[in-house]
Structure formats: structure tokens, C-alpha cells
Amino acid sequence: RGDSRPERVTALCSDGVATGRLGVPTEDTITLAVNWRNKDDRHDAAACGGGISADIESVKFKHCSSDGSAKGSGQRGSFAGGSCGHAVYTSSWIAPKSDVHSQQRWFYMGQRGEVIVDQAHRGYTVATDDDGYSAVNPLFWKPTRDAATGLFSGQRCYGYISFESFIAAASECAHGKAQASEFNQTLPTLETTVCATAILEAGRRSLDHGGQPMRLVYGDENSCIPLGIIPEATQEKEDSVGKRVRR
């Protein structure tokens, strides 16, 4: 975070299932194409979200202060003239039955390295005559009871711990023992997810406007916290007007 910022969002979708089965006019699958901009002092990095450097071994994370300026790794610079990267994100609720509950994958390709994450397969497989073959994920949630006590025993699964950690942090903040900013490195706070939230909102607006690209607006060329969202045509019109005025 802080090494790159999202600047343009274009959405595509497929529909028909929710409308046909539930009578709900909504999308079944949504894909967002996002253009990212790197800091101009990181020309050798290809941003694919989150500002991860293409040099995997020298990744340095930064975060933005409340005024939107980057801080943390000591590398400062303007986004003006920085190299451009892009990312594609897809989410769907109508995936057919397969060996996993949901297909979750993440792929990053940079100039000098790549990262592949298969979150769908966790190394646990089950095969039965009734249900066939499946790749289960007991690390997320354990629905079965403890064999000895018959009680719930999923407290150490990350699906449970994620809620537990949030409630514990909220309690500390409510009792004045901590501030929300202290959890920026350990929890998805509002400050650390502001760009993701802006991307989702821009995607929604793009869909509502027939797939029209949306531009994220920033306070200046050093900011990494979006302040607004406008249709790309409006941005181009404003740029054209600005050029005429400067002439």
C-alpha cells in the first residue's frame, strides 16, 4: 500500500440465473478491470493491486496517513509519470458444483517475479460413495462437534478467529485502550481498505452506466486515498476544458 494506487475501473457482468430463479434483477458474475499507477520512482515495478513490487525479495509495504500521503518505507514520490499496471478481479455466486466449495485463486505477474496462490485447495481431500471426491477446507470452519464432549470446537479455525480478532480490537478501542490506526497492520481497517472499497463502488457505478469506465479522483499526485469517483467521459471533458483555459 502506498507504492501504487487504482485510477480507473471498468466492469463487466453476466446475468440470468438470479433473475430466472429468484426474480431478482441482479448480476450473477462480475469482473472488474482496474488500472493501477505506480510511483514514478518505481518504474521497474508492475502493479497488480496492493502495490507489491515485482522484486519479490525486496517487498516493502507502506501505508497512507490520514491526509492521503504515503509513508512507511522511506520511498516517496509522485504518481505523475509513474508506470501503469492492471489487474482483473472476478467474483461469482453461480459457480457449478466442483471438488471445492469455491474456486479461489490469486495470480500476480511482475517483471522479475510472480506469485501464484491456490486458496481453494488446502491439502485436505475426502472421497465417499455418496458424495464422491472433494477438497475440503477445515482450516476455515469446523462444523463438526468435538468427538469427546459433543460441543462446538471450531474456535481455532481462521473463520472464527477473524471475527474474534475484530471484536477484541473493537473492545479495546471502545475502552480507550487502543486506537483504530494501531490495527492497520493486522486487521482490514477502514484506512487500509479504502482503495478496495473505492474499486467496488466504482465497479457498481460502471455497471449501472452500461460498463462505462470510472475514474478515481485524488487530492493531488502524491495522494493514495481516493476522494471521489467520476465517469471517464466527465474526466476527459474537464481535462479538455482545463487545457483550453490554460491556453
Side-chain angles (χ1 to χ4, degrees), residues 149-170:
T149 65
L151 301 177
F152 172 75
S153 59
Q155 292 91 337
R156 292 299 89 196
C157 297
Y158 69 84
Y160 184 99
I161 294 176
S162 60
F163 286 100
E164 181 183 62
S165 300
F166 172 79
I167 293 174

Side-chain angles (χ1 to χ4, degrees), residues 27-227:
E27 300 85 9
D28 300 323
T29 302
I30 295 175
T31 295
L32 302 182
V34 182
N35 292 98
W36 291 79
R37 179 72 59 183
N38 291 314
K39 286 290 184 65
D40 61 359
D41 56 356
R42 299 291 293 273
H43 284 296
D44 60 345
C48 195
I52 298 181
S53 168
D55 187 353
I56 304 300
E57 296 182 356
S58 63
V59 171
K60 295 182 178 179
F61 292 95
K62 297 189 291 184
H63 63 281
C64 291
S65 60
S66 58
D67 63 359
S69 58
K71 64 179 182 179
S73 71
Q75 290 187 343
R76 298 175 181 270
S78 170
F79 287 103
S83 59
C84 180
H86 74 277
V88 178
Y89 310 95
T90 296
S91 181
S92 176
W93 70 274
I94 62 165
K97 181 177 177 58
S98 67
D99 63 318
V100 295
H101 178 70
S102 61
Q103 298 289 352
Q104 303 175 52
R105 291 181 174 85
W106 189 83
F107 172 67
Y108 164 79
M109 182 181 67
Q111 288 175 274
R112 299 196 303 272
E114 68 178 31
V115 179
I116 301 176
V117 180
D118 181 1
Q119 293 181 288
H121 300 87
R122 307 301 178 98
Y124 297 84
T125 60
V126 176
T128 65
D129 290 339
D130 294 331
D131 299 324
Y133 175 84
S134 63
V136 297
N137 183 8
L139 302 177
F140 174 71
W141 197 257
K142 186 176 181 294
T144 56
R145 296 174 181 270
D146 182 88
T149 65
L151 301 177
F152 172 75
S153 59
Q155 292 91 337
R156 292 299 89 196
C157 297
Y158 69 84
Y160 184 99
I161 294 176
S162 60
F163 286 100
E164 181 183 62
S165 300
F166 172 79
I167 293 174
S171 178
E172 289 190 36
C173 292
H175 291 85
K177 297 180 180 179
Q179 296 184 354
S181 59
E182 297 178 34
F183 299 97
N184 285 340
Q185 302 302 318
T186 57
L187 293 174
T189 63
L190 289 176
E191 182 174 330
T192 60
T193 60
V194 61
C195 282
T197 301
I199 289 173
L200 294 175
E201 175 62 21
R204 178 68 264 169
R205 297 189 188 186
S206 177
L207 289 174
D208 292 341
H209 288 78
Q212 181 179 10
M214 294 289 157
R215 290 279 181 178
L216 302 185
V217 179
Y218 294 86
D220 54 47
E221 292 298 342
N222 297 311
S223 174
C224 53
I225 294 182
L227 302 178

